[in-house]
Amino acid sequence: KAGVTQTPRYLIKTRGQQVTLSCSPISGHRSVSWYQQTPGQGLQFLFEYFSETQRNKGNFPGRFSGRQFSNSRSEMNVSTLELGDSALYLCASSWRGEYTGELFFGEGSRLTVL
Amino acid sequence: GENVEQHPSTLSVQEGDSAVIKCTYSDSASNYFPWYKQELGKRPQLIIDIRSNVGEKKDQRIAVTLNKTAKHFSLHITETQPEDSAVYFCAASYRGSTLGRLYFGRGTQLTVWP
């Protein structure tokens, strides 16, 4: 089966710009969550969507936002980019009718802010 | 919220030796503890998990132990091989939280020398 797909894989932006990242979950998965990964910080939770509704949000500023579409695909947006936003952004999907706990990650979108 | 501490941050072992990575958590409501392995340039993948009603779980060369009283859990890898080299993340969550929210430790870079 197809895994979680994230696009774009790599992108370079400058400070002040905005960026939109896309995530296509595993077919049938209804939950999509986003994580920011930076060296030494591990994976920090951004937000989670389930059935087009944001269910939970981490401790990130309002510049970070997201949404989920009726086909479970999700996008996240970062506005007014800062140097510190450079990171690997990981999307993970889960839930096909029962809670197993396992998250299935995509390969990430690596954002570099210059 | 939950806080997960992970130690050590780096670990080097000789092939064939055992490796142990330890994590502590702060929220006694946490009841699910997965471990993810992330090889260089790859996505994090679940390797083993344990729930709070179990004290130990094994899967071939890897095992996880949980001490609820002390709020700590550990990953044990026996007979290490070079392909075990990766970053390992522990995490915690509780079933009452949303499906996609895991609280991750900062990771342990394991290097297995041949």
Side-chain angles (χ1 to χ4, degrees):
Chain A
K1 62 182 179 185
V4 177
T5 304
Q6 291 188 244
T7 57
R9 291 291 314 281
Y10 302 91
L11 65 166
I12 299 174
K13 295 286 187 178
T14 56
R15 282 184 299 172
Q17 288 187 310
Q18 74 166 11
V19 65
T20 299
L21 309 178
S22 179
C23 172
S24 293
I26 290 173
S27 177
H29 283 188
R30 294 168 60 188
S31 168
V32 173
S33 51
W34 289 87
Y35 288 82
Q36 182 194 65
Q37 184 176 16
T38 54
Q41 292 298 314
L43 286 76
Q44 295 184 288
F45 175 79
L46 283 156
F47 29 65
E48 182 200 3
Y49 288 86
F50 185 91
S51 294
E52 301 179 67
T53 302
Q54 187 181 88
R55 296 275 294 266
N56 207 337
K57 191 177 192 306
N59 296 325
F60 280 83
R63 300 184 296 105
F64 291 82
S65 63
R67 59 178 174 169
Q68 186 180 34
F69 302 95
S70 58
N71 62 357
S72 293
R73 190 178 70 84
S74 177
E75 289 181 347
M76 68 163 281
N77 183 275
V78 187
S79 62
T80 318
L81 285 166
E82 301 177 359
L83 295 179
D85 297 332
S86 294
L88 180 66
Y89 290 88
L90 291 163
C91 159
S93 74
S94 64
W95 184 259
R96 192 183 279 139
E98 64 174 330
Y99 176 75
T100 65
E102 182 173 5
L103 297 183
F104 294 85
F105 285 91
E107 294 194 321
S109 293
R110 184 166 295 281
L111 170 65
T112 301
V113 182
L114 302 177
Chain B
E2 175 64 276
N3 181 47
V4 177
E5 300 282 344
Q6 182 173 348
H7 300 279
S9 57
T10 61
L11 179 60
S12 293
V13 299
Q14 200 75 29
E15 183 178 0
D17 288 349
S18 296
V20 180
I21 302 171
K22 299 182 179 182
C23 291
T24 61
Y25 61 99
S26 62
D27 192 339
S28 57
S30 289
N31 61 0
Y32 174 65
F33 307 93
W35 287 86
Y36 282 79
K37 175 184 180 182
Q38 186 177 29
E39 297 178 16
L40 187 63
K42 301 287 184 62
R43 68 190 77 195
Q45 291 188 297
L46 178 71
I47 56 171
I48 195 168
D49 57 11
I50 191 168
R51 300 186 188 277
S52 59
N53 58 346
V54 176
E56 183 176 5
K57 183 177 179 181
K58 291 182 179 180
D59 183 3
Q60 298 183 358
R61 295 187 298 107
I62 61 174
V64 57
T65 59
L66 170 64
N67 183 325
K68 288 191 300 181
T69 303
K71 296 200 195 76
H72 68 70
F73 56 113
S74 300
L75 177 71
H76 304 254
I77 306 174
T78 59
E79 301 174 16
T80 53
Q81 302 168 2
E83 50 265 39
D84 294 329
S85 296
V87 179
Y88 291 81
F89 293 97
C90 63
S93 77
Y94 56 94
R95 182 150 187 167
S97 74
T98 55
L99 299 169
R101 181 163 199 172
L102 294 177
Y103 296 85
F104 284 91
R106 295 190 176 190
T108 296
Q109 172 69 62
L110 172 64
T111 303
V112 181
W113 300 98

